[in-house]
């Protein structure tokens, strides 16, 4: 079965950094757009970042642009989200998602086929 397993969440002080990892069991990992979404209590799910099949193109929400970096290692079937300059508003459950052969709509969660369980990121002030 397809599994996306996330790790790296936790508690960090404002201004600090955190790196999330998502290990995927996908047979053809390089054929999937990989994305990160987040959802805070009482708020709708929000697109954070996405990366193309080969990792050559990345997409970011305006709220995280310049602070977060998404990357992937196709040899390890793993996608990462490096988060820097974290602030309280970044507090949310972060989920990894995979979209098979996606060519557009990278910020649209209904287009993603598989999801991880989500990991909590809490930024304290």
């Amino acid at each position: 079965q397809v599994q996306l397993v996330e790790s790296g969440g936790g508690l960090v002080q404002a201004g600090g950094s955190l790196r999330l990892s998502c290990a995927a069991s996908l047979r053809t990992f390089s054929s999937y757009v990989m994305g990160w979404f987040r959802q805070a209590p009482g708020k709708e799910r929000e697109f954070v970042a996405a990366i193309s099949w080969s990792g050559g193109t990345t997409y970011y929400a305006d709220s995280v642009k310049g602070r977060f970096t998404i990357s992937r290692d196709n040899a390890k079937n793993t996608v990462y989200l490096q988060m820097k300059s974290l602030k309280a508003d970044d507090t949310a459950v972060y989920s990894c998602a995979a979209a098979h052969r996606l060519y557009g709509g990278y910020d649209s969660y209904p287009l993603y086929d598989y999801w991880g369980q989500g990991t909590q990121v809490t930024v304290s002030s």
Side-chain angles (χ1 to χ4, degrees), residues 37-39 44-46 48 63-64 68 89-90 92-94:
F37 292 77
R38 68 186 183 185
Q39 187 169 23
E44 295 184 347
R45 183 162 17 187
E46 176 188 18
V48 177
S63 59
V64 306
F68 291 10
D89 287 346
D90 294 319
V93 174
Y94 285 71

Side-chain angles (χ1 to χ4, degrees), residues 55-118:
T57 307
T58 56
Y59 310 86
Y60 297 96
D62 289 340
S63 59
V64 306
K65 193 173 299 180
R67 300 187 298 118
F68 291 10
T69 301
I70 187 172
S71 62
R72 67 191 297 164
D73 187 339
N74 287 351
K76 297 181 178 179
N77 284 18
T78 302
V79 63
Y80 307 94
L81 185 67
Q82 179 67 56
M83 304 182 292
K84 299 180 179 180
S85 301
L86 285 163
K87 51 187 179 181
D89 287 346
D90 294 319
T91 296
V93 174
Y94 285 71
S95 299
C96 175
H100 189 236
R101 295 183 176 180
L102 184 65
Y103 295 92
Y106 308 111
D107 60 344
S108 299
Y109 68 85
L111 299 181
Y112 286 77
D113 302 295
Y114 306 106
W115 293 82
Q117 77 285 355

Side-chain angles (χ1 to χ4, degrees), residues 5-33:
V5 181
E6 298 147 321
S7 61
L11 176 65
V12 65
Q13 289 186 316
S17 300
L18 204 61
R19 188 197 194 203
L20 305 182
S21 299
C22 174
S25 64
L26 303 166
R27 293 181 65 253
T28 54
F29 180 76
S30 61
S31 297
Y32 288 81
V33 168

